[in-house]
Amino acid sequence: AQKITQTQPGMFVQEKEAVTLDCTYDTSDQSYGLFWYKQPSSGEMIFLIYQGSYDEQNATEGRYSLNFQKARKSANLVISASQLGDSAMYFCAMRGVSSNTGKLIFGQGTTLQVKP
Amino acid sequence: DGGITQSPKYLFRKEGQNVTLSCEQNLNHDAMYWYRQDPGQGLRLIYYSQIVNDFQKGDIAEGYSVSREKKESFPLTVTSAQKNPTAFYLCASSPRDRATDTQYFGPGTRLTVL
């Protein structure tokens, strides 16, 4: 079975500092995709970054980077230079090739609050 | 502007009523999905469709129904058989139903049972 674990229910970070949101996953698939989404209080799910299981380089998108450690099965999100607008819920998710349902498996999420 | 639209944004349902949530995309994506989110929780898959005129049940399909008559549209009906329908509903689409394809989400519909 596939599973995503986010162990930090809530996090605080000072504006302009970097923050790491933890994500570990469990799968027996060799090929899978890892995703991070941001959900502000408005509710929409905003795609942030993607990492493929065969990608050798860590993914980066602007201020977001994904620290992918395949042997540890971790896919932590790093947000550099935090901004007040980064305050939101963050979800780690994965899809594996063995999953015939097409679904994303989501973690429970981490609430990030950026302090001015 | 390419994207996914959902309507209505808020929906109130009386006991015993069926209601339909709209989801439209102009991204030319083959695959579409419906998820349910309860407060403080991640998302759970209700139904998905890999291609027009085809759809499959997800993890929590009981009490819901869908159709996929057009590539752009994937409406979700919440029937009276759904015992606890109050939740936030999110529609998503991806180019194809592959592990490496990103799912993009609409703004969501918040359903409340009165």
Side-chain angles (χ1 to χ4, degrees), chain A residues 37 39 95 100-101 103-104, chain B residues 37 48 59 97 101 103:
Chain A
Y37 289 88
Q39 187 176 41
R95 299 177 77 178
N100 292 323
T101 67
K103 68 183 176 184
L104 279 167
Chain B
Q37 186 180 29
Y48 70 105
D59 296 326
D97 187 37
D101 280 357
Q103 289 186 16

Side-chain angles (χ1 to χ4, degrees), chain B residues 7 10 20 27-28 31 41 43 54 58 66 71-72 76 78 84 86-87 91 98-99 101 103 105-106 108 111:
Chain B
S7 62
Y10 298 97
T20 298
L27 300 168
N28 200 33
Q41 303 293 317
L43 278 63
D54 183 60
V66 293
K71 188 174 186 177
E72 303 79 22
L76 173 74
V78 184
N84 185 21
T86 294
C91 177
R98 295 179 300 197
D101 280 357
Q103 289 186 16
F105 286 81
L111 173 62

